[in-house]
Amino acid sequence: MDLQLLPRPPKPGLYAATGDGALIPWALRALAVTFTPQNRIVWIDAANQFNAHWVAQSGRTYHKNSKDVLRAFKYARPFTAFQLEAMVNQKLVPAMRKYQALFAVIASPLRLYEEADDQQYATLHSFDLFAEGLRRLSRELAILLLIPEAKPTPYLRRLLQMAGHSTS
């Protein structure tokens, strides 16, 4: 992932980065040293890979106060596709405003949909609501999707088509 993907300061839009399994740890460290502690980042972790130790260590490497760097991340962890959809549509804007976040990151958003037990109407409808929420919110917020080990699915194609800016 090239950090040039995100303009400085980040402008409203949907940005997507795909890569191998190291994408999320790399992005977490890179964003920690590039944007924090002076900026807040809302991190929605569908991948369950947020690692506070990496964040703190990255900050220390660049002579930043590790506690301040950690405080700059506002973290949420959905366990189901339906929780992810609700976070995007109901919680993201209030969190961005409350914490005055510069941008939001959604790490591995497709994983929860791809692993859903029920790939029937309810899951597909939830993805439609999730995608519509991203489209609507990206008009006013900068949102970065991190998509590691992307499989060629209709979910992936749809998100990459929606993203105005993407890189691998």
Side-chain angles (χ1 to χ4, degrees), residues 149-164:
E149 301 174 340
K151 299 175 190 97
T153 66
Y155 297 132
L156 175 66
R157 284 190 293 278
R158 185 162 171 198
L159 289 184
L160 292 180
Q161 287 172 349
M162 289 173 47

Side-chain angles (χ1 to χ4, degrees), residues 1 5-6 13-17 31 103-107 142-146:
M1 179 179 117
L5 173 68
L6 282 173
L14 186 62
Y15 304 84
L31 295 172
F103 60 94
V105 174
I106 304 176
I143 302 170
L144 173 60
L145 303 176
L146 298 176

Side-chain angles (χ1 to χ4, degrees), residues 109-150:
L110 299 180
R111 181 175 159 258
L112 296 175
Y113 288 99
E114 292 167 351
E115 292 177 356
D117 291 333
D118 175 18
Q119 288 291 322
Q120 301 302 316
Y121 175 79
T123 302
L124 297 174
H125 183 65
S126 175
F127 183 80
D128 288 342
L129 293 172
F130 168 72
E132 177 57 27
L134 289 176
R135 187 191 61 73
R136 181 177 39 80
L137 294 176
S138 66
R139 292 183 192 140
E140 61 182 283
L141 306 173
I143 302 170
L144 173 60
L145 303 176
L146 298 176
I147 307 170
E149 301 174 340

Side-chain angles (χ1 to χ4, degrees), residues 24-47:
I24 292 171
W26 180 88
L28 184 58
R29 289 177 177 134
L31 295 172
V33 300
T34 304
F35 292 102
T36 65
Q38 64 276 20
N39 299 296
R40 307 278 181 302
I41 299 170
V42 171
W43 185 282
I44 298 176
D45 188 27

